[in-house]
Amino acid sequence: MAFEANLSAGISVATGGASPGGAAATGGADLPENRLAPLHVFRFEISFKRAGDTPGGPVPMCSGAFSECTGLEATMEPKVIKSGGANYGPAQRAGQISFATVILKRGMTSTRDLWKWFQLVGGGGYAYRLSAEIAMQDAAGNTVLTWGLDKCLPVKFKAADLNAKGNDVGIEELHLAHEGLRLISAG
């Protein structure tokens, strides 16, 4: 019974909702994080920089804006350690982290910069890896949160599907493998 009350109070604090016993368990104080409005996902911009070069500034790889960015994801595979005599279950330890492929989509234009970058890497020529920053913005256009991708490598390019009967905007995709996902502090 005590476990259920603690669980209920924990859910109340985590979701910012009111539940029986929730206000008493938290001392009636509401966390400031619970009063923040969620961010909208339709305002963002992506910039590419040379990996390891801070004085060089942004590299003008992509002109235009992306309409969609998916795959900002990191997964840790737990290491299971089974020990003799521990009948309740194995111990879980932190394991290796893997990163999902980030997929960028934008309306197809006559600019071929994404294709050129993919072609340089795929053709065996020297093409440096880039770091990418994805800045989420509020309704006023101020950057609120920035995700950083380390050592990006283009692994797939997809041109727009062609259809003589269609009237949709052509969308091109660039898939990026990377070696790190980090949250860049605003300060």
Side-chain angles (χ1 to χ4, degrees):
M1 202 59 140
F3 174 75
E4 291 173 1
N6 288 338
L7 180 63
S8 174
I11 292 172
S12 166
V13 170
T15 60
S19 66
T26 61
D30 195 13
L31 297 173
E33 292 85 13
N34 293 342
R35 293 187 217 120
L36 294 175
L39 296 174
H40 293 282
V41 295
F42 60 85
R43 291 197 64 123
F44 63 95
E45 66 180 18
I46 301 170
S47 61
F48 291 92
K49 296 180 182 178
R50 291 181 193 211
D53 281 354
T54 50
V59 174
M61 277 300 295
C62 299
S63 58
F66 291 96
S67 60
E68 189 175 338
C69 174
T70 59
L72 294 174
E73 170 181 338
T75 305
M76 183 187 313
E77 184 178 331
K79 295 289 183 185
V80 178
I81 301 172
K82 298 179 182 178
S83 58
N87 295 332
Y88 190 67
Q92 302 281 337
R93 298 292 182 257
Q96 189 173 16
I97 296 176
S98 61
F99 303 103
T101 300
V102 174
I103 302 171
L104 304 174
K105 295 181 182 180
R106 71 175 184 177
M108 194 162 187
T109 64
S110 60
T111 307
R112 299 285 37 110
D113 46 13
L114 295 179
W115 169 251
K116 288 177 186 176
W117 184 31
F118 179 78
Q119 191 176 23
L120 279 172
V121 173
Y126 176 75
Y128 47 83
R129 291 188 175 207
L130 301 176
S131 61
E133 290 184 358
I134 299 138
M136 292 182 66
Q137 301 170 338
D138 60 10
N142 302 317
T143 298
V144 179
L145 184 68
T146 303
W147 291 102
L149 304 175
D150 298 325
K151 298 181 182 174
C152 295
L153 180 70
V155 293
K156 180 179 177 183
F157 176 84
K158 183 178 184 279
D161 295 330
L162 305 176
N163 183 351
K165 295 180 183 179
N167 60 358
D168 298 336
V169 171
I171 301 292
E172 66 181 353
E173 295 181 13
L174 181 69
H175 296 225
L176 298 174
H178 59 93
E179 295 182 5
L181 175 67
R182 56 195 163 82
L183 187 59
I184 300 170
S185 63

